[in-house]
Each structure stands twice: as C-alpha cells, then as structure tokens.
C-alpha cells in the first residue's frame, strides 16, 4: 500500500537519523539535507538507497541532485512509489 | 581410449605469507590542492584520505612487485624456487607484451614458474587468489605467488576533481600454498559489464596516439591529455555501498561464518565512507578489526587488500590465524569476496 506524506517524512527521519545521527524531530519538510541536516552528497546517496528499499521507488542518480529538501524527497516518493 | 593420469593437488589451500611495498614519496593533500579546487577537509571527509604514496622513476611495477614478493616469500618460509606460478594483477603496467609476471618470476629466482598477468581492476587480488587456490588444490602448482600492483599516479588526471586525490601506488603480494584445513572459503565473484562505463580509461591507447585531435581532450598546454582513470563517483558509490555489502554477506554465508565469528574485515580501500557503510550494513560487531589503510595509502586498486592485510598484521591489530573477510570491487564492474585465515 502506498505510504502517506506523513509516513514518508517519518520514514525519512528514521533513515536520516540512522545515517547521519540527526534527531528524528529535526527532519521536517522544509529542511535542506545538506545545509540543515548535515547530510553530505555521499550520505545523500545512502539516504536515497535506504528510501528506495523502504518505499519501493526507484530514484535514479540524475534525479537525486534535485532532492534538496525533505519536502522534495517526500514529494518525489509520493509521486513515484509503486 | 587411453587413460590420462590426473594431477594431484593439496586437500586445501591457504595464504602462507604476505608482503607489501609502499613507494618512498608520501604525498599529502596539500599537493593535490595545487591542481584542483578542493580542500584538505573535503578530501578527508569524502574519502578518508590524508596521504598517499606516489612511485618514483625507479619504483616500477616490476620493482615494487619484487620487493613485496620477497617479503611475502620470506614470511611464508619457503624458497623462491618452490613457487610454481606467479599471477600479477595490474592495470598500470604500460607494456602489454610480455606480461610483467615473467620478469618478476625470473628476478625473484623462481625455477621457470608459470607467470601471467590478469586485469580485474580493484577486484584483481580476489581474482588472483581464487586462481591460486584452484592451482594449489588441483595440483598445477604447489606454491603460487599472487601480486596486486599499481602505479595509478601514472593514470591520474591531476586536474580532475573527482579522482585527483583518490589514487595511490604500491604493491602487495601473498604466497598461497597447501593446507590440511580449509583456509580460503568459497569465492563469490562476478562482473556487471552493463556498468562498464562507470569506471574506465578516458581514451584507449590507439586513440591517444592516432585519434583525431579535434575529438580528444587537451591539457592546458594544448597537448592531448594522457589517458587517465575516470569514474562516475556517485554511481560507483551507490553500487559499492548497496550491492557490495550483499556480496560480502554472501561470502560469509558461503563460508559458514557469521559476523560474530569474524575477526577482521579487509575491504578494497576505495573510500572510507564505503568501508563505514559496509560495516554498518553487515552489522559487524565491535570486536571485528576493520582495515582503514586508505587514510595513508589512498586507493591502490589491486594492491589495496594485501597492503592493508600486511599492515594490520605488522601493527598487531590482526594476528596470524584470524578469520578475515576480504572483498574487492571496481572497474568492470567486477567483484570478488571470500573469507580467509590470515597468515
Ligand atoms: C569521488 C567521490 C568522493 C566524490 O564525491 P561526490 O559526493 O560523489 O562528489 P560530487 O561530484 O557529487 O560533488 C558533490 C559536491 O562536492 C563538490 N566537489 C566535487 N569534487 C570536489 C573536490 N575534489 N573538492 C571539493 N569539492 C568537490 C562538487 O562541486 C559538489 O558540490 P555542490 O553540491 O555544491 O555542487 C565519491 O563519489 C566516491 O568516492 N565515489 C566512489 C568512487 C570509488 O570508490 N571508486 C573506485 C572504486 S574501485
């Protein structure tokens, strides 16, 4: 079953917490991965890979650079999830 | 039909000795910053690399191999004459014919050992080890010398931000010989040629020499740029952290070894971030020693695993008899993982 926006943010928060050690409550829609959450370009690849598994989506490399904020990623997953 | 007598090998094979050679010149990140717009902090945080070794004119592929092999042979406690085969994995020996392995076999004083080169990028050590194990068990050689050696500085574009800081030079060697107990597990290996474009030589040698200048990359002096290794960093990173952790797990499973049974993890030293991610995915317990030789060695491709193995044993971080998971992966794309008992 497709995940809701709320579930996606929650899932992303857990993933970012696991990979970058950021508290889950800091992961909000308007937060930028690199500027606010200490997720650098390589951690972002790990976040994407984890999100692909969790939400059953494919996020190709060329799309990753457009996912600047948690909101961007959430929107992308909402639209593309199987 | 006449009956052919089969060859007779050892029951099992093991690594009996390891040796390494690191070039004298140590190159800190400051030197890299002379040719690319970057920072020491960026290089350390994205790759873990602080320094690497670059070979001088006398530190040829053959010379470095001979140094490393001499140590491995001494460590194994055998004579060079007992070696039946020499397998050299390299992508940076610039003369294609003859194989550099024959010169090495001769200069080491082997007795006309079979000798050949293989090309399997950063998985080269695992490929060579697998061949060596087969030869020892099948009986075509009692002792096999496996060498991983690179002068990647010759194939580095110092103006390329994605690779200038990454590569280093060096040689690592092991002697594989007979064993009464299994000491090299099943190899999990393979290739993904559909991703061959993600790590490759910028231009092949024939185009470098004979290609149309208008279509070739030029340096700041207007000369055709010497071929170098280029990569799609993010695609390779993604493949390494995601797919290679699975291969490493398969190698553990194939050997019947759990993460708890493991003493040492020696992945190819490509990027400390890949290593850290694998450790997490494989859920390796605290007691497992993890090779992070990349910090002072850079990525030395086929040489990285034996170099890291030698250092861990030399510093006492690992000891003889420890159970180690080794995994190599790189250009091809190719990979090879297995569990070994350390010499
Ligand atoms: C090479 C590698 C460290 C590059 O990291 P990356 O995060 O993929 O780098 P990117 O090219 O995506 O660039 C990310 C950012 O860093 C910047 N950057 C790239 N190279 C840089 C450098 N050398 N110094 C400083 N900044 C650099 C980019 O401009 C970009 O900044 P921006 O987001 O503000 O535009 C990384 O991809 C890697 O190690 N991949 C695995 C490669 C490997 O191991 N290969 C061998 C396998 S055998």
């Amino acid at each position: 079953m497709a995940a809701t926006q709320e579930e996606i943010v929650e899932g992303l928060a857990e993933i970012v917490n696991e990979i970058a050690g950021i508290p889950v409550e800091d992961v909000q829609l308007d937060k930028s991965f690199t500027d606010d959450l200490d997720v650098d370009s390589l951690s972002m690849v790990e976040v994407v890979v984890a999100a692909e598994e969790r939400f059953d989506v494919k996020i190709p490399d060329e799309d990753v650079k457009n996912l600047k904020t948690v909101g961007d990623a959430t929107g992308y997953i909402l639209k593309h999830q199987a | 039909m006449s009956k052919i007598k089969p060859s007779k090998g050892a029951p099992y094979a093991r690594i009996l000795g390891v040796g390494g050679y690191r070039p004298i010149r140590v190159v800190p990140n400051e030197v890299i910053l002379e040719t690319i717009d970057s920072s020491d902090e960026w290089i350390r945080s994205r790759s873990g690399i602080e320094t690497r070794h670059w070979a001088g004119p006398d530190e040829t592929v053959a010379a470095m191999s001979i140094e490393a092999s001499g140590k491995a042979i001494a460590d194994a406690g055998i004579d060079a004459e007992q070696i039946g085969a020499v397998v050299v994995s390299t992508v940076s020996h610039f003369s294609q014919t003859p194989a550099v392995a024959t010169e090495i076999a001769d200069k080491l004083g082997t007795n006309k050992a079979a000798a050949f080169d293989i090309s399997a990028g950063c998985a080269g050590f695992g490929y060579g080890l697998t061949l060596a194990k087969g030869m020892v068990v099948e009986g075509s050689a009692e002792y096999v010398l496996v060498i991983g050696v690179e002068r990647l500085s010759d194939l580095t574009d110092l103006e390329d931000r994605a690779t200038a800081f990454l590569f280093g030079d060096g040689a690592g060697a092991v002697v594989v010989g007979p064993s009464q107990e299994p000491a090299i597990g099943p190899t999990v290996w393979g290739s993904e040629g559909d991703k061959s474009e993600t790590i490759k030589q910028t231009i092949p040698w024939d185009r470098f020499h004979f290609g149309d200048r208008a279509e070739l990359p030029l340096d700041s002096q207007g000369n055709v740029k010497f071929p170098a290794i280029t990569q799609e960093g993010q695609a390779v990173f993604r493949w390494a952290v995601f797919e290679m952790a699975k291969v490493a797990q398969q190698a553990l499973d194939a050997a019947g070894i759990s993460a708890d049974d493991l003493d040492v993890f020696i992945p190819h030293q490509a990027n400390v971030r890949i290593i850290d991610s694998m450790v997490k995915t494989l859920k390796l317990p605290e007691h497992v020693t993890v090779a992070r030789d990349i910090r002072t060695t850079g990525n030395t491709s086929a040489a990285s695993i034996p170099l890291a193995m030698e250092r861990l044993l030399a510093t006492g971080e690992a000891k003889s008899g420890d159970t180690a998971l080794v995994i190599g992966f790189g250009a091809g794309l190719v990979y090879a993982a297995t569990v070994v008992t350390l010499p």
Side-chain angles (χ1 to χ4, degrees):
Chain A
M1 215 186 59
T4 63
Q5 169 167 328
E6 204 174 314
E7 287 164 345
I8 295 171
V9 177
E10 213 175 280
L12 285 173
E14 280 169 26
I15 290 169
V16 169
N17 172 264
E18 167 79 23
I19 288 163
I22 303 294
V24 285
E25 57 274 17
D26 289 2
V27 181
Q28 307 280 347
L29 284 174
D30 60 338
K31 291 285 161 62
S32 150
F33 286 107
T34 42
D35 299 338
D36 303 322
L37 301 176
D38 212 20
V39 174
D40 72 13
S41 49
L42 294 181
S43 296
M44 191 61 198
V45 176
E46 290 184 72
V47 168
V48 163
V49 168
E52 283 187 336
E53 281 228 309
R54 182 155 179 156
F55 301 112
D56 197 13
V57 281
K58 276 260 147 287
I59 314 178
D61 287 324
E62 55 271 24
D63 289 343
V64 173
K65 45 185 164 300
N66 300 326
L67 309 180
K68 301 260 185 260
T69 65
V70 176
D72 295 341
T74 306
Y76 189 96
I77 293 165
L78 264 179
K79 195 163 146 212
H80 293 89
Q81 63 187 344
Chain B
M1 203 170 66
S2 314
K3 194 159 183 273
I4 296 174
K5 212 167 123 188
S7 54
K8 194 170 173 309
Y12 302 103
R14 72 184 308 135
I15 300 176
L16 295 166
V18 60
Y21 179 81
R22 295 160 201 269
I24 292 160
R25 183 175 172 211
V26 174
V27 178
N29 289 339
E30 287 70 49
V31 172
I32 308 298
L33 301 179
E34 290 168 12
T35 48
I36 58 166
D37 174 19
S38 186
S39 68
D40 179 46
E41 201 278 320
W42 192 94
I43 296 172
R44 283 176 197 241
S45 71
R46 300 304 163 106
S47 71
I49 301 169
E50 295 161 18
T51 58
R52 72 287 285 144
H53 296 255
W54 281 353
D58 296 337
E59 293 168 314
T60 62
V61 164
M64 294 194 292
S65 298
I66 290 164
E67 287 288 328
S69 301
K71 291 183 197 165
I73 293 166
D75 190 37
I78 63 162
D79 289 326
E81 286 162 26
Q82 293 172 271
I83 289 169
V86 177
V87 183
V88 179
S89 182
T90 184
V91 298
S92 45
H93 178 244
F94 284 165
S95 185
Q96 242 166 329
T97 307
V100 71
T102 59
E103 178 189 343
I104 296 166
D106 177 54
K107 295 219 170 108
L108 283 170
T110 70
N111 185 17
K112 299 182 183 172
F116 57 97
D117 298 352
I118 58 172
S119 174
C122 306
F125 177 73
Y127 273 59
L129 185 66
T130 304
L131 293 178
K133 171 184 150 186
M135 287 185 242
V136 169
V137 171
E138 178 268 342
S140 46
E142 190 179 8
Y143 297 97
V144 181
L145 183 62
V146 178
I147 303 167
V149 56
E150 303 292 358
R151 279 180 59 111
L152 294 182
S153 60
D154 291 339
L155 284 171
T156 302
D157 177 355
L158 293 178
E159 294 170 1
D160 177 7
R161 286 176 103 201
T163 54
F165 59 91
L166 206 53
F167 299 123
D169 303 338
V174 297
V175 173
V176 179
S179 171
Q180 293 306 313
E181 303 283 330
I184 303 176
T187 301
V188 177
W189 61 348
S191 70
E192 297 185 33
D194 59 326
K195 301 187 186 67
S196 61
E197 296 289 309
T198 56
I199 309 176
K200 61 174 189 182
Q201 185 169 320
T202 44
I203 43 172
W205 298 110
D206 53 351
R207 272 193 67 208
F208 172 64
H209 288 292
F210 309 119
D212 181 354
R213 264 182 68 90
E215 291 172 6
L216 295 173
L218 304 179
D219 66 17
S220 41
Q221 267 100 57
N223 300 313
V224 176
K225 267 196 172 180
F226 195 75
I229 299 169
T230 136
Q231 62 175 3
E232 295 168 26
Q234 298 240 331
V236 177
F237 185 84
R238 183 195 277 235
W239 176 76
V241 299
F242 190 54
E243 302 296 338
M244 291 306 102
K246 289 187 209 156
V247 169
Q249 185 61 53
Q250 286 165 14
L252 283 176
D253 295 344
I257 296 290
S258 74
D260 277 332
D261 302 330
L262 204 61
D263 301 307
V264 186
F265 178 44
I266 313 179
H268 165 50
Q269 305 288 298
N271 186 324
V272 90
R273 300 282 295 269
I274 295 175
I275 299 171
D276 290 344
S277 170
M278 278 185 165
V279 168
K280 232 185 212 178
T281 310
L282 291 167
K283 300 194 169 60
L284 297 185
E286 282 288 322
H287 75 259
V288 175
T289 298
V290 178
R292 291 195 178 81
D293 190 39
I294 180 144
R295 289 195 189 119
T296 53
T297 309
N299 178 345
T300 57
S301 192
S304 80
I305 293 174
L307 275 173
M309 186 184 290
E310 187 219 37
R311 179 149 284 174
L312 288 177
L313 289 165
T315 57
E317 289 165 90
K319 57 185 192 311
S320 174
D322 277 355
T323 302
L325 169 64
V326 298
I327 176 167
F329 47 87
L333 297 173
V334 288
Y335 56 87
T338 186
V339 176
V340 301
T341 305
L342 292 182

